[in-house]
Amino acid sequence: MQEKQLPLAALPRLPKAPTGIEGLDEITEGGLPLGRPTLVCGSAGCGKTLMAIEFLVRGVEEFGEPGVLMTFEETADELADNVASLGFDLRQLQADKRLRLDHVHIDRSEIEEAGEYDLDGLFIRLGYAIDSIGAKRVVLDTVEALFSGFDNQAVLRSEIRRLFRWLKDKGVTTIITAERGEGTLTRQGLEEYVSDCVILLDNRVIDQITTRRLRIVKYRGSTHGTNEYPYLISEDGFSVLPVTSLKLEHAVSDEVISSGVPGLDEMFARRGWYRGSSVLLTGTAGTAKTTLAAAFALETCRRGERCLYFAFEESPAQLLRNMRSVGFDLQPYLDQGLLRIDSSRPTLNGLERHLVTLHRVVAEFKPQAVIIDPISNLISVGSISEVRSMLTRMIDFLKINNVTALFTALISNRNGQLEMAEEGVSSLVDTWISVRDLEGIGERNRGLSILKSRGMAHSNQVREFIMTGTGVHLLDVIIGPAGIITGAGRLTQRIQEEAQRVVQQHESDRRDRDLERKRRMLEATITNLRADFETVEDELRRISHEELTRGTALREGRTALTQGLSADYLASQPNTQL
């Protein structure tokens, strides 16, 4: 009978030690292999030592795991001074007996290879340091300095294997730093094979822009991210920025917020866009992208919410001055702390630092809206794919935090056709608004249209808008024989319509006067007819009365005549007596 196989979820997983380094635990899916050695290799200046020291410091401060740092190049004081700028106080941690610093001086000129060579002395020294504070984490920096004086490859390989086995048997989570070799990950070309986890750091210069990349070459017993990941060394320490975004499982909001422009709100079925969505505003130079972005910032602050504004083309003072010309006074909200403007040239920092700066400021300021004006300038500090991946991570980060994002982007005119800038972020955003030139006869006007809005119906019209001292106003659409009428044509059309209205009014007044005159004539006719009718009526009544009187007299005469004849007859008869 075949045995029933255990489900995959029931199998034990490789235990891991979280590093506490931002982003690194995400791509390693939990941290470094617990109780096993990890090799961190790379060329000079890529940050191997800083990464290893932060691994120790985070372990002490966040996970309560004491650590040992054994260095073969820099002294303990030199290391403490070097990492003080990152906020790491190694001397205090050592005084608290939570960290042990041990510098092993190795001078190649003093080393003579004779007979058998082993690392027993190092094991004793390292074992004592581990046991003295109960260390759970160990860093050896760097392994090349330890073996730099020996040319016997057989002995070298044997001792390297023994070193890694000793660390495993000791049960400490270890980082060993190594320098990059020619055609190999390390100079000896062996450490990467005996390590359970290998992390490669690379510091490269492309088009005079320095970028750092991290790649997990291998990780025994665990899945891990396999891409190259940008990383940054800043005043807050070591930060790894995963290129692949988190799973699209963030919550969404049904709340709709205003764009700050009433006419633009009316173009959306729900009078605005969704909170937490991403909005892209594209257009050529001079189409009021920054003004529309400032309108949204002002509306956000009016609701009592915080807005973070990254300006890559204007200083804060210049932005405030320019926006006052259209009636947008941002200074009071800047004073209240509801608005924060970070202004710098994109070339001041690389893409990684821009993203890290966004993460840090969002964590500190906790804004409800973020504006980046414009994102197209970032193309000057990175390749197309790098900018796109950076913007992808930025959009996902803001969505996860339910922050409404508004990006402006400059589009270029190529071959007479408007094309989206190279970063191609339009497919990533939820709402895409296009502002463009509406060129007429000898003039240039501005038009606005909504190209897409996910989850919401919207207008398909191109609306002309103007900027006045009271803000941005969208004008009604006027259709002429040749299409939409804008600018001076709109004024001409209005003059023609006004003239036509005046003519129509005059014609209407004339018709009213004619109607009034006809009414009066008709009323006079009616009055005359009524008078004639009354005259005829009186005459008829008189005739009728006369006829009635004549008939009455005739009847009375007949009655009198009849009575008279009867009396005469009686009188003529003889009197007879009975």
Side-chain angles (χ1 to χ4, degrees):
M1 183 175 179
Q2 187 177 4
E3 294 183 0
K4 186 176 181 181
Q5 188 177 3
L6 291 175
L8 183 61
L11 296 176
R13 302 186 63 181
L14 180 71
K16 299 183 178 183
T19 64
I21 297 175
E22 182 181 359
L24 184 58
D25 290 338
E26 179 183 340
I27 61 177
T28 56
E29 299 185 3
L32 304 182
L34 182 66
R36 300 185 183 186
T38 295
L39 180 67
V40 177
C41 53
S43 56
C46 62
K48 302 183 296 296
T49 301
L50 291 177
M51 179 180 177
I53 292 177
E54 184 165 355
F55 166 73
L56 286 180
V57 174
R58 301 296 183 193
V60 172
E61 295 180 345
E62 298 180 11
F63 307 106
E65 297 183 356
V68 171
L69 172 60
M70 182 169 283
T71 174
F72 305 106
E73 292 182 335
E74 298 176 278
T75 65
D77 289 337
E78 290 173 342
L79 283 175
D81 293 337
N82 292 342
V83 300
S85 60
L86 303 179
F88 301 152
D89 191 351
L90 300 187
R91 293 185 178 91
Q92 184 61 46
L93 294 177
Q94 190 174 19
D96 296 338
K97 298 186 181 303
R98 296 188 293 171
L99 181 67
R100 181 72 180 267
L101 302 179
D102 193 359
H103 174 239
V104 179
H105 176 70
I106 298 178
D107 191 343
R108 182 173 183 176
S109 63
E110 297 177 359
I111 299 177
E112 180 180 357
E113 184 177 353
E116 294 184 359
Y117 167 77
D118 58 50
L119 297 177
D120 288 343
L122 176 67
F123 294 160
I124 294 173
R125 187 167 179 172
L126 183 57
Y128 173 76
I130 293 173
D131 295 337
S132 63
I133 61 172
K136 301 296 183 181
R137 302 186 179 203
V138 173
V139 168
L140 301 181
D141 182 41
T142 64
V143 70
E144 281 78 19
L146 184 61
F147 298 107
S148 61
F150 302 95
D151 298 324
N152 190 326
Q153 293 297 316
V155 174
L156 182 63
R157 290 173 178 268
S158 175
E159 290 305 305
I160 288 177
R161 288 191 179 95
R162 200 157 71 94
L163 172 62
F164 278 73
R165 174 50 57 188
W166 185 88
L167 291 169
K168 281 187 178 182
D169 294 340
K170 197 67 176 175
V172 290
T173 305
T174 308
I175 286 184
I176 301 174
T177 64
E179 295 180 2
R180 187 82 178 266
E182 294 293 335
T184 57
L185 295 179
T186 62
R187 289 187 180 181
Q188 311 302 334
L190 178 64
E191 297 94 323
E192 59 263 37
Y193 295 103
V194 296
S195 300
D196 289 81
C197 179
V198 178
I199 300 176
L200 175 63
L201 304 181
D202 182 31
N203 188 16
R204 66 188 71 165
V205 179
I206 302 176
D207 296 332
Q208 302 180 358
I209 302 296
T210 301
T211 58
R212 291 184 170 98
R213 296 292 183 270
L214 177 148
R215 180 167 66 93
I216 301 177
V217 179
K218 79 172 188 179
Y219 198 136
R220 288 173 180 165
S222 174
T223 57
H224 57 85
T226 57
N227 296 327
E228 279 194 326
Y229 302 94
Y231 68 93
L232 185 69
I233 301 173
S234 65
E235 60 274 11
D236 296 323
F238 204 93
S239 301
V240 183
L241 311 173
V243 174
T244 53
S245 301
L246 298 174
K247 295 181 180 179
L248 298 176
E249 298 176 349
H250 54 270
V252 296
S253 173
D254 289 331
E255 181 184 357
V256 174
I257 58 178
S258 172
S259 65
V261 180
L264 178 56
D265 291 343
E266 294 175 358
M267 297 181 68
F268 293 93
R270 296 190 60 184
R271 305 279 179 166
W273 49 62
Y274 289 114
R275 179 182 294 278
S277 62
S278 54
V279 181
L280 176 64
L281 188 62
T282 62
T284 53
T287 50
K289 300 183 297 297
T290 299
T291 303
L292 293 171
F296 176 62
L298 185 63
E299 181 65 24
T300 301
C301 295
R302 284 173 176 169
R303 293 194 300 266
E305 300 175 355
R306 292 188 178 93
C307 179
L308 177 61
Y309 197 118
F310 287 97
F312 291 148
E313 293 183 337
E314 297 177 279
S315 67
Q318 183 181 3
L319 181 64
L320 294 174
R321 182 203 65 187
N322 294 345
M323 291 305 104
R324 280 195 295 269
S325 66
V326 291
F328 296 159
D329 190 2
L330 300 174
Q331 186 64 51
Y333 301 106
L334 201 63
D335 298 337
Q336 296 174 21
L338 292 176
L339 176 65
R340 176 170 174 175
I341 302 175
D342 281 13
S343 181
S344 65
R345 289 293 182 187
T347 52
L348 177 64
N349 301 307
L351 293 175
E352 294 81 12
R353 181 169 290 275
H354 282 299
L355 186 57
V356 168
T357 300
L358 175 69
H359 281 232
R360 184 181 68 251
V361 176
V362 168
E364 294 174 356
F365 190 57
K366 301 186 185 312
Q368 282 75 38
V370 169
I371 298 172
I372 300 180
D373 177 34
I375 58 173
S376 49
N377 282 18
L378 296 174
I379 200 70
S380 61
V381 292
S383 64
I384 298 173
S385 60
E386 289 173 339
V387 173
R388 183 179 175 86
S389 65
M390 179 262 195
L391 293 174
T392 301
R393 287 174 280 146
M394 181 184 297
I395 291 172
D396 288 345
F397 169 74
L398 295 174
K399 282 190 174 183
I400 290 170
N401 290 275
N402 197 31
V403 176
T404 308
L406 175 63
F407 309 110
T408 69
L410 181 69
I411 58 176
S412 56
N413 193 337
R414 299 175 181 173
N415 300 323
Q417 294 181 351
L418 295 179
E419 298 178 358
M420 180 59 197
E422 287 83 357
E423 60 268 19
V425 71
S426 58
S427 62
L428 304 176
V429 298
D430 301 310
T431 299
W432 184 6
I433 300 172
S434 173
V435 287
R436 55 180 173 170
D437 294 329
L438 302 176
E439 295 186 0
I441 301 176
E443 64 178 10
R444 174 176 169 268
N445 302 294
R446 299 180 178 93
L448 181 149
S449 62
I450 302 173
L451 301 185
K452 78 170 186 178
S453 183
R454 290 172 179 162
M456 186 183 300
H458 57 86
S459 171
N460 61 352
Q461 290 182 326
V462 178
R463 298 281 299 274
E464 182 185 3
F465 68 94
I466 58 175
M467 293 184 295
T468 67
T470 58
V472 179
H473 302 280
L474 270 68
L475 305 178
D476 295 333
V477 176
I478 297 180
I479 306 296
I484 297 177
I485 300 176
T486 62
R490 176 188 291 271
L491 180 60
T492 302
Q493 180 73 14
R494 286 182 176 175
I495 293 175
Q496 293 175 351
E497 291 177 354
E498 180 64 20
Q500 186 177 2
R501 188 191 65 80
V502 172
V503 171
Q504 291 175 349
Q505 183 64 39
H506 289 169
E507 181 65 20
S508 177
D509 293 343
R510 186 189 62 79
R511 289 195 299 267
D512 290 342
R513 289 194 300 270
D514 290 344
L515 181 62
E516 179 66 19
R517 185 166 56 253
K518 290 180 179 180
R519 184 184 65 80
R520 290 197 299 268
M521 292 175 61
L522 182 59
E523 288 180 351
T525 301
I526 292 173
T527 301
N528 293 333
L529 290 175
R530 182 176 290 109
D532 293 342
F533 175 77
E534 291 176 352
T535 301
V536 172
E537 184 181 23
D538 291 342
E539 183 65 22
L540 291 176
R541 286 178 179 175
R542 184 185 60 79
I543 295 172
S544 177
H545 179 69
E546 290 177 354
E547 290 180 351
L548 181 61
T549 302
R550 188 180 302 113
T552 302
L554 183 59
R555 286 194 299 274
E556 291 177 351
R558 287 178 180 176
T559 302
L561 181 60
T562 303
Q563 294 176 352
L565 291 176
S566 299
D568 290 341
Y569 174 75
L570 294 175
S572 61
Q573 293 296 323
N575 293 328
T576 52
Q577 295 181 352
L578 300 177

